[in-house]
Amino acid sequence: MTFARRTINGRPINPVGLGCMSLSWAYGTAPSDDDGVKLLHRALDLGYDHFDTANIYGGGHNETLVGRALAENRDKFFLATKMGIVVDGPNRGIDCSPNAIRACVDASLQRLKTDHVDLYYMHRYDSKVPIADSVGAMADLVRAGKIGSIGLSEWSAPHIREAAAVHPIAAVQTEYSLWTRNPEIAVLDACRAHDIAFVAFSPVGRGVLANGVADPGDLPETDLRRRMPRFDADNWPRNRALIDHFVALADAAGVTPAQLSLSWLLSRGDNVLAIPGTGNVSHLDENIAQWDWRLPDDLATVVGGLINQQTVSGHRYPDIIRRSIDTEDFV
C-alpha cells in the first residue's frame, strides 16, 4: 500500500505516525512492557515510520520502552522526543535552559539506545530563557549530530517566528483536532510562512472522536481525562451528544469515527501530520487502514460545523496546566 507522504526536515514520512505516550501512562491502563514492545513491532510491520515520545512520559519509561523495541530497526523510522517539562513530586515547571537541553538529550539518547534523534522538541516555551539561548543550544546539538532538527511544542506564533529567526525550525507540535482548534488562531499560518511541519497530537480528541469514551466516570482514577473540563459532569453530556452525531456521519461515510477525524485533520494542509496514540493493536490497525481515504469537501464542511470551538463545551485543559501553555487561546 502506498500513501501520499509528507515531510519533516525534508524527510518524507507517512502522514500518520504513532504517539507512544499511552504505552506508559496518561490514558486508561498502560499495557505491559512485553505487550508494548509487540505493539511497536506491529506498527513497524504496518508501515508506521514516525514514532513520537518524550522524556516525561512515565518518567523515562516510554523512551526506554521505545529503545528496547525499536533500536535494532533504527534506520527504518523517524524518531522524535522532547524535553523541557520538569516534574519533581508535586512541583511542575519548565526548564529549557542550555544546560538542561544538553543534559536531557544525553539521557534520552541513552534510554533510546541511539546516537541521534531525528527531531528534538522543546516540550513547552520557557519564558525564563531567551529564545536565542534555548534555540542556540538546540542548534549546537544539530551541529554535533545528536539531533537532526529542532521542534517546538505548544509555542505561540510570535515565539515560533522568533525561534525561526535563530535557526530553522522543522516542526511545531500542538494539540489539534475537530474539537481543539487553537492552532487555527495563528500557529498554522506561522508554520506555513516558515515552511514548518505541523504535527498534531491528540488528533482524535483524546479518544473521544474515536468514540472511545462513553462515560468519563468509568475511566481509571489515574486517567488524565478525569481532570479535564470537557469530561466533567457539566460539560460531558453536551459533548457526548455531539459525538453521537459525529459517529452517525462516520457510519454513513463507511469509515470509523477515528478515520473520519484523521482524514479531516490531514485535509487542513499538506504540511499537517498526525500522531494518534494508542495502546491497543486494533486501534493501531484502524488508524492506518484509511490513510489514503480523502475526505469529501461537503462532508468536511458538515463535520467542521458540527464539532468546533463554538460547539464544544469546556476548556481543553484545567487551569493549572493552562498556565504552562504558550499557544494562543480563544477568548
Side-chain angles (χ1 to χ4, degrees):
M1 206 182 296
T2 58
F3 309 100
R5 292 181 160 238
R6 300 186 178 186
T7 61
I8 299 180
N9 194 35
R11 178 166 169 176
I13 55 178
N14 287 324
V16 176
L18 178 63
C20 298
M21 182 178 72
S22 299
L23 301 179
S24 296
W25 75 310
Y27 303 135
T29 301
S32 68
D33 283 2
D34 287 345
D35 286 343
V37 167
K38 290 177 183 177
L39 184 143
L40 290 166
H41 287 166
R42 173 66 175 166
L44 274 182
D45 291 342
L46 287 170
Y48 285 87
D49 59 2
H50 175 193
F51 293 84
D52 180 275
T53 182
N55 65 350
I56 192 179
Y57 299 161
H61 172 268
N62 201 245
E63 288 182 328
T64 300
L65 183 68
V66 171
R68 171 187 165 190
L70 301 179
E72 293 182 355
N73 294 288
R74 181 66 186 87
D75 61 337
K76 296 181 180 178
F77 63 93
F78 184 92
L79 177 60
T81 193
K82 314 176 195 72
M83 64 73 59
I85 297 177
V86 179
V87 175
D88 181 12
N91 299 317
R92 181 185 177 101
I94 300 170
D95 185 359
C96 290
S97 64
N99 285 342
I101 288 170
R102 288 188 288 266
C104 287
V105 74
D106 287 340
S108 288
L109 293 176
Q110 183 175 11
R111 286 189 291 265
L112 290 163
K113 297 184 179 179
T114 185
D115 62 357
H116 76 286
V117 294
D118 300 294
L119 177 60
Y120 197 45
Y121 291 96
M122 283 185 274
H123 210 157
R124 293 291 184 270
Y125 169 68
D126 186 348
S127 62
K128 305 182 302 298
V129 180
I131 287 175
D133 292 351
S134 59
V135 176
M138 298 283 274
D140 288 342
L141 298 183
V142 174
R143 287 186 285 270
K146 292 184 177 183
I147 69 175
S149 57
I150 300 171
L152 312 171
S153 181
E154 291 282 13
W155 282 42
S156 65
H159 292 145
I160 292 168
R161 290 192 289 268
E162 187 176 344
V166 178
H167 188 278
I169 303 301
V172 168
Q173 182 176 140
T174 301
E175 182 180 358
Y176 188 35
S177 69
L178 279 159
W179 88 333
T180 296
R181 303 293 192 93
N182 300 64
E184 296 176 359
I185 301 172
V187 167
L188 288 177
D189 286 341
C191 288
R192 283 189 287 266
H194 291 278
D195 194 25
I196 298 170
F198 180 89
V199 179
F201 75 81
S202 296
V204 293
R206 304 183 189 275
V208 172
L209 296 175
N211 199 27
V213 182
D215 182 354
D218 294 334
L219 298 172
E221 285 295 330
T222 56
D223 194 296
L224 294 183
R225 291 168 290 189
R226 292 182 69 98
R227 293 173 289 284
M228 293 179 171
R230 291 179 179 178
F231 297 87
D232 67 23
D234 291 332
N235 293 315
W236 178 248
R238 293 188 289 271
N239 291 333
R240 182 64 240 185
L242 294 176
I243 300 307
D244 290 340
H245 288 294
F246 182 71
V247 170
L249 290 171
D251 288 344
V255 295
T256 70
Q259 291 163 353
L260 179 56
S261 302
L262 292 170
S263 184
W264 178 87
L265 186 75
L266 296 178
S267 73
R268 300 303 90 190
D270 291 339
N271 68 323
V272 176
L273 302 93
I275 49 167
T278 184
N280 183 299
V281 172
S282 65
H283 293 164
L284 185 78
D285 292 3
E286 175 186 356
N287 291 339
I288 193 176
Q290 296 287 350
W291 270 358
D292 52 355
W293 182 68
R294 299 190 67 86
L295 179 68
D297 290 343
D298 57 346
L299 182 54
T301 299
V302 171
V303 299
L306 174 66
I307 302 178
N308 57 63
Q309 192 64 33
Q310 286 71 46
T311 62
V312 172
S313 298
H315 198 277
R316 64 182 177 123
Y317 280 130
D319 288 343
I320 191 171
I321 295 180
R322 289 176 68 176
R323 293 195 289 269
S324 71
I325 301 297
D326 187 49
T327 306
E328 288 83 0
D329 207 350
F330 292 94
V331 177

